[in-house]
Amino acid sequence: MRAPIKHCKNCGMAVVYRLPDDGDTKQRAVCTACTTIHYENPLNVVGTVPYWGDKVLLCKRNIEPRWGMWTLPAGFMELGESTAQGAARETVEEAGAEFEMEGLFTVLNVPRVGQVHLFYRAKLLSDQFNPGVETIEARLYAEHEIPWEELAFKTVRETLERFFADKKTGRYAIHDLDIH
Ligand SMILES: [Zn+2]
């Protein structure tokens, strides 16, 4: 879970978690000095399933958490961009891949950490990659080669399992899942 807020973003004084006076039903971080209420809401993680024929591109993480584990290219959405733009940006940053964005593929709620992960399908236009500093290695894996025990996140596993299943049928659904 995200670390609790300690100081007011408005005046820097200490906050306390309590019910605000406005009838709100959730405890919020409320400033003890200026009474500013700090709302905390889920964050979006956006990424892609880049594919080349029957293979999928995975990146070996050069950052914590899960250093050295394999992931699909993904990261936190930035202000001012759409979910698809963020997913494309992360794919360029982490893999240096050339690709065409396709449809939304998975929406994964992870309430325990206050995140929603969204993955888009992305058709690779080349099998040459130029990974950025956050990636040790970027390479293509066929389904039987996927390092299932070395995947960084459950959302990546769930997305890959559904991708290979849908690929066999030739029809891609949008999968809406809750991860507990
Ligand atoms: Zn304050």
Side-chain angles (χ1 to χ4, degrees):
M1 204 60 195
R2 223 172 296 165
I5 295 173
K6 288 188 177 142
H7 297 100
C8 177
K9 286 177 190 168
N10 184 40
C11 75
M13 296 297 282
V15 301
V16 290
Y17 277 81
R18 67 170 173 84
L19 288 178
D21 301 325
D22 60 1
D24 197 340
T25 55
K26 272 196 174 330
Q27 297 225 337
R28 310 285 183 187
V30 182
C31 179
T32 52
C34 76
T35 72
T36 295
I37 303 167
H38 300 77
Y39 294 97
E40 297 164 89
N41 301 98
L43 296 174
N44 289 339
V45 171
V46 290
T48 59
V49 186
Y51 67 92
W52 176 260
D54 288 333
K55 297 185 173 184
V56 165
L57 176 64
L58 295 181
C59 296
K60 191 171 194 174
R61 290 170 66 81
N62 196 29
I63 47 170
E64 294 292 351
R66 315 285 164 84
W67 184 94
M69 306 281 270
W70 292 88
T71 185
L72 290 164
F76 287 109
M77 188 179 179
E78 299 284 1
L79 295 175
E81 68 186 7
S82 70
T83 50
Q85 285 169 343
R89 175 183 51 73
E90 290 289 344
T91 307
V92 171
E93 287 175 7
E94 295 186 2
E98 288 178 55
F99 56 92
E100 255 169 34
M101 289 293 283
E102 296 185 334
L104 179 63
F105 185 59
T106 48
V107 177
L108 305 116
N109 287 279
V110 197
R112 189 177 59 82
V113 292
Q115 296 178 359
V116 180
H117 295 203
L118 301 103
F119 286 91
Y120 289 78
R121 287 177 290 112
K123 182 181 181 168
L124 288 165
L125 303 175
S126 158
D127 62 355
Q128 301 300 307
F129 312 113
N130 183 22
V133 292
E134 294 181 7
T135 303
I136 297 166
E137 180 187 358
R139 60 160 283 196
L140 294 167
Y141 283 99
E143 182 177 10
H144 69 276
E145 301 169 326
I146 297 275
W148 294 104
E149 303 310 315
E150 296 166 50
L151 295 179
F153 304 105
K154 193 163 182 207
T155 54
V156 170
R157 165 185 281 271
E158 297 278 350
T159 297
L160 286 172
E161 285 175 356
R162 279 160 184 80
F163 182 79
F164 286 115
D166 280 10
K167 193 160 195 27
K168 289 187 184 86
T169 71
R171 291 169 58 97
Y172 294 97
I174 295 176
H175 303 272
D176 181 4
L177 300 156
D178 297 343
I179 308 282
H180 295 288

